[in-house]
Amino acid sequence: MSNYHIKHLEEYYQVYRKSVRNPEVFWEEIAEEHFLWRKKWDKVLSWDFKKPKVKWFEGAELNITENCIDRHLYTRGDKTAIIFEPNNKEDEAEHITYKQLHERVCRFANVLLDKGIKKGDRVCIYLPMIPELAIATLACARIGAIHSVVFAGFSSTALATRINDSECKMVITSDGSYRGPKTIDLKGIVDEALEDCTTIESVLVAKRINSDVQMKADRDYWLQPLLDDAYSDCVPEIMKAEDPLFILYTSGSTGKPKGMVHTTAGYMVYTAYTFKNVFQYTENDVYWCTADIGWITGHSYIVYGPLCNGATTVMFEGVPSYPDFGRFWEIVEKHKVNQFYTAPTAIRALAKEGIDHLEKHNLSSIKVLGTVGEPINEEAWHWYDDNVGKKKAPIVDTWWQTETGGIMISPIAFATPTKPTYATLPFIGVQPALMDEKGTEIKGNQVDGRLCIKFPWPSMARTIWGNHQRYKETYFSAYDNMYFTGDGALRDEVGYYRITGRVDDVIIVSGHNLGTAPIEDAINEHPAVAESAIVGFPHDVKGNALYGYVTLKETGESRNHDNLRKEINQLITEQIGPIAKLNKIQFTNGLPKTRSGKIMRRILRKIACNETDQLGDTSTLLNPEVVQDIMDNVL
Ligand code: WT7
């Protein structure tokens, strides 16, 4: 039996047991047999959740791009690595073979070297979903530079914050991007961001929309001529197992985004192994994950996991609604997609349009369906199962996080019987625990609690860039000797997990993780605003939408409320991006506070969700009178 490829439920249980009884022996065997190492490790694992310090495969040396590209060149050189499907469906799709990918990554890596980028330098990548995004990412990894991909929907302020936090030396961007019928001026956003950045030495600009952009002398360079002049081979930098591979920012409970740091060997082993098993990818399958590489889903399951397995991975530049809501299904048919991985919010948006679009396309290639990003509701689950999978394709509901690097709780397609809305069983090597509020583990089945992980797994983030203390406080302080996920979960009678949602101040909107604090910070910058509080409320497509309670300064009270609402959303768009805009804004005379001055978001959440019969005890509030007033004026 090969532990690398699990095919049946009994096998899952057998391998799972082995992986938790003797994790080091287990992961050593996986690492040994399926990856290319320049030097083997001295020690498989050392860990201490109190510090917290975790090291996997210490002493090993490797380069992840040799694993993702070079080692496939003999066996799969002419196989398609990446299928690029452009925004405009009239434009031709691009098929990039492993050989071509090798050459393009090498050329790009040489350009980086030529511009003075060295091992350990941070490079910010701010690109649309075009091949250069995957190639730039891999080129950084080739030379040991740490990539920090920033989703190209983020605003210039958000981009500047991220560039400054990790002191990036270079930005890689494009003249612009296509998004459905619109174009976006990415280079203009970068220029604006760089007014507040001092560490950037050069900007590489890919041509995508052929717009007229300003190029700053001695800073900005068109990418293509540099690539044309670059040498087509590049010796990979040999990295240590625990050298950082990338930083990816995620929002948290304070205004400052957290730069999660992922390292090389453990991340590679775990993303490759989960990809293979969760999706049951087999040679010659075509796999498509609809996420953007700007999120962890794209890092792990468009780029690294699939390429490490020599897979064919689809990159789609556009949106599900352009030119119409049939676009996803058209792409599935066109490229004969076998594994299709998307988010509940996309499923709900498509379900709303009915099944006419689906019926126009042949979806018979689909073998496995996946979902990620937020809890999937029962209705969306069944719509996906009935209409896309035709009840024949298992749905893998994959629970994980930016911080976990890879899938943590999920069915293994065809092996694990699925259950609507359940992420089901922990993946191999993952040891979940449900905790009560007092910090005691809740054992047994048919229970619910706060979801923690008791034991390290290879792809966990190792720290927050520049702030290890915050890493410790956020993830390792709530419960002794445990990683705390921030999610609530329940375990059913057979041990299946269902994720019930965030238990902290993070709200998942359309699958995007949004901290309330950064949004409140943005609103509070408005000169008329005294203070604000953001909560989530249910939304039929987005899952959650944002409800803002805003108290105005006396000077602002005479202002027109509709104009103020527009200005507030404009501020949020500028500071964070359009994804964080508020659906509803209620102006209040005050916000409910505890005696220590903390805003009671719990009460505000109940009001926004129309659950005022469950407000609980409000007598401990400093100002209980505002609650009735807020309820009377709810939107
Ligand atoms: C949060 C992490 C890595 C995936 C992309 C989002 C929620 C994620 C599921 C799921 C229920 C889910 C959790 C988690 N989440 N997948 N299958 N079922 N909830 O990554 O932005 O770091 O967000 O997304 O609340 O903590 P992220």
Side-chain angles (χ1 to χ4, degrees):
M1 181 182 87
S2 154
N3 288 333
Y4 191 73
H5 189 182
I6 296 154
K7 296 191 180 114
H8 309 285
L9 190 61
E10 312 82 78
E11 227 177 319
Y12 159 80
Y13 279 115
Q14 225 175 339
V15 177
Y16 182 79
R17 269 196 298 275
K18 189 166 163 184
S19 75
V20 300
R21 277 192 195 147
N22 210 334
E24 296 181 44
V25 172
F26 173 77
W27 286 110
E28 172 152 55
E29 191 187 307
I30 295 291
E32 185 120 44
E33 283 174 22
H34 300 278
F35 300 88
L36 185 67
W37 303 92
R38 290 297 189 106
K39 180 176 170 286
K40 291 277 162 72
W41 43 91
D42 305 316
K43 193 165 174 16
V44 178
L45 169 67
S46 55
W47 67 290
D48 177 352
F49 273 181
K50 295 212 185 303
K51 284 195 166 83
K53 187 93 208 151
V54 173
K55 288 182 184 167
W56 282 93
F57 308 112
E58 204 180 349
E61 291 177 359
L62 72 155
N63 184 287
I64 196 169
T65 70
E66 275 197 307
N67 280 272
C68 288
I69 309 171
D70 301 56
R71 67 166 162 151
H72 305 310
L73 291 176
Y74 281 115
T75 49
R76 302 182 175 106
D78 295 318
K79 177 178 174 177
T80 301
I82 296 175
I83 299 176
F84 169 62
E85 174 67 26
N87 179 68
N88 301 318
K89 69 177 195 179
E90 295 76 25
D91 296 347
E92 224 171 289
E94 201 180 328
H95 292 249
I96 303 169
T97 65
Y98 273 92
K99 260 190 211 144
Q100 292 165 334
L101 182 64
H102 180 261
E103 180 176 334
R104 291 176 69 172
V105 168
C106 284
R107 282 184 191 271
F108 208 127
N110 285 324
V111 170
L112 298 179
L113 290 171
D114 192 55
K115 287 285 169 244
I117 301 297
K118 298 182 304 293
K119 176 176 177 178
D121 286 345
R122 276 79 60 206
V123 172
C124 175
I125 304 177
Y126 187 72
L127 279 170
M129 278 287 283
I130 56 176
E132 284 75 6
L133 173 51
I135 292 165
T137 303
L138 292 161
C140 287
R142 187 80 174 176
I143 65 165
I146 302 169
H147 56 75
S148 167
V149 181
V150 176
F151 172 60
F154 275 115
S155 70
S156 60
T157 315
L159 175 61
T161 309
R162 286 158 177 75
I163 289 172
N164 290 335
D165 182 73
S166 45
E167 297 171 296
C168 295
K169 263 173 89 170
M170 174 191 267
V171 183
I172 304 170
T173 189
S174 64
D175 55 352
S177 66
Y178 293 115
R179 190 172 168 76
K182 293 188 286 197
T183 58
I184 298 166
D185 175 21
L186 285 194
K187 177 63 167 59
I189 298 172
V190 170
D191 288 340
E192 228 178 277
L194 294 191
E195 284 174 22
D196 299 319
C197 301
T198 55
T199 57
I200 296 295
E201 293 169 8
S202 50
V203 179
L204 303 184
V205 188
K207 252 201 173 90
R208 180 58 188 146
I209 63 168
N210 286 310
S211 62
D212 248 343
V213 298
Q214 296 278 332
M215 296 292 277
K216 190 169 167 188
D218 297 326
R219 188 196 73 180
D220 301 350
Y221 304 91
W222 288 110
L223 180 62
Q224 197 55 50
L226 300 178
L227 290 173
D228 292 341
D229 285 347
Y231 187 54
S232 60
D233 200 358
C234 173
V235 179
E237 181 78 32
I238 303 308
M239 306 296 287
K240 298 214 164 62
E242 285 294 338
D243 279 340
L245 174 63
F246 65 85
I247 301 168
L248 187 60
Y249 287 89
T250 186
S251 67
S253 54
T254 75
K256 211 174 156 195
K258 298 175 285 191
M260 303 313 305
V261 177
H262 282 282
T263 60
T264 307
Y267 176 82
M268 170 183 80
V269 168
Y270 194 79
T271 53
Y273 185 52
T274 45
F275 172 75
K276 172 76 186 169
N277 286 293
V278 168
F279 298 102
Q280 291 292 304
Y281 183 87
T282 52
E283 194 70 40
N284 302 323
D285 283 347
V286 174
Y287 161 89
W288 179 21
C289 164
T290 70
D292 192 290
I293 293 175
W295 310 113
I296 191 70
T297 309
H299 281 61
S300 302
Y301 300 110
I302 295 178
V303 181
Y304 290 113
L307 295 179
C308 213
N309 282 282
T312 300
T313 175
V314 176
M315 268 182 86
F316 174 44
E317 185 185 23
V319 292
S321 55
Y322 180 76
D324 59 48
F325 279 94
R327 188 69 194 276
F328 272 9
W329 318 128
E330 191 181 319
I331 296 172
V332 167
E333 177 174 6
K334 178 172 168 191
H335 298 300
K336 301 194 173 56
V337 171
N338 301 111
Q339 289 89 8
F340 178 74
Y341 190 25
T342 196
T345 184
I347 298 169
R348 288 189 297 263
L350 293 164
K352 232 180 153 178
E353 301 300 314
I355 56 167
D356 293 357
H357 288 296
L358 271 164
E359 284 174 343
K360 287 189 207 128
H361 298 284
N362 178 354
L363 307 182
S364 62
S365 58
I366 288 180
K367 297 197 270 192
V368 176
L369 295 174
T371 147
V372 61
E374 59 185 309
I376 182 165
N377 51 305
E378 187 124 16
E379 205 184 335
W381 196 98
H382 283 295
W383 186 86
Y384 202 30
D385 186 39
D386 292 350
N387 300 299
V388 184
K390 322 277 182 207
K391 288 201 161 69
K392 287 196 296 249
I395 296 177
V396 291
D397 177 355
T398 63
W399 173 83
W400 57 297
Q401 309 177 294
T402 305
E403 296 85 339
T404 69
I407 294 168
M408 300 292 281
I409 302 182
S410 170
I412 286 177
F414 306 109
T416 318
T418 60
K419 176 174 175 181
T421 78
Y422 280 74
T424 75
L425 296 170
F427 190 74
I428 306 298
V430 174
Q431 302 188 34
L434 296 178
M435 306 298 291
D436 69 18
E437 279 174 45
K438 293 193 197 88
T440 316
E441 183 174 352
I442 309 165
K443 303 261 174 132
N445 288 342
Q446 284 187 297
V447 292
D448 67 82
R450 292 172 176 224
L451 181 61
C452 290
I453 313 288
K454 291 198 258 197
F455 193 85
W457 63 100
S459 67
M460 62 190 292
R462 303 295 196 259
T463 189
I464 291 174
W465 184 264
N467 200 344
H468 196 67
Q469 187 57 28
R470 186 173 181 199
Y471 176 69
K472 179 176 172 165
E473 279 161 17
T474 311
Y475 305 105
F476 296 90
S477 301
Y479 302 100
D480 202 29
N481 254 322
M482 302 241 179
Y483 167 82
F484 175 46
T485 65
D487 283 317
L490 60 84
R491 192 162 49 216
D492 77 357
E493 62 286 354
V494 298
Y496 274 19
Y497 288 86
R498 175 187 182 162
I499 314 303
T500 47
R502 302 291 309 187
V503 294
D504 56 6
D505 288 335
V506 171
I507 304 168
I508 314 246
V509 179
S510 300
H512 300 309
N513 194 330
L514 297 173
T516 53
I519 304 174
E520 290 163 6
D521 288 354
I523 301 172
N524 297 349
E525 284 198 14
H526 192 290
V529 170
E531 59 176 356
S532 61
I534 303 298
V535 299
F537 71 99
H539 184 279
D540 61 351
V541 172
K542 299 175 177 194
N544 294 296
L546 299 177
Y547 194 115
Y549 297 92
V550 177
T551 309
L552 297 174
K553 290 180 184 159
E554 261 169 46
T555 50
E557 278 173 8
S558 58
R559 294 280 313 271
N560 174 298
H561 282 185
D562 283 338
N563 287 344
L564 275 175
R565 287 191 179 97
K566 280 196 198 112
E567 288 165 20
I568 286 170
N569 267 331
Q570 183 56 30
L571 258 177
I572 294 172
T573 306
E574 283 162 18
Q575 300 262 317
I576 300 161
I579 50 175
K581 281 205 281 196
L582 308 183
N583 263 51
K584 293 184 182 176
I585 301 177
Q586 178 179 353
F587 295 100
T588 64
N589 293 323
L591 298 171
K593 299 218 177 127
T594 62
R595 286 177 199 279
S596 59
K598 237 182 131 209
I599 297 171
M600 287 284 273
R601 285 194 182 68
R602 182 176 56 80
I603 290 174
L604 295 172
R605 202 175 296 128
K606 294 279 183 212
I607 298 174
C609 296
N610 201 10
E611 293 168 359
T612 42
D613 50 327
Q614 308 161 29
L615 274 192
D617 185 10
T618 56
S619 64
T620 57
L621 286 173
L622 187 66
N623 50 352
E625 71 285 353
V626 302
V627 174
Q628 190 58 48
D629 188 51
I630 291 174
M631 286 199 297
D632 291 344
N633 293 294
V634 70
L635 298 174

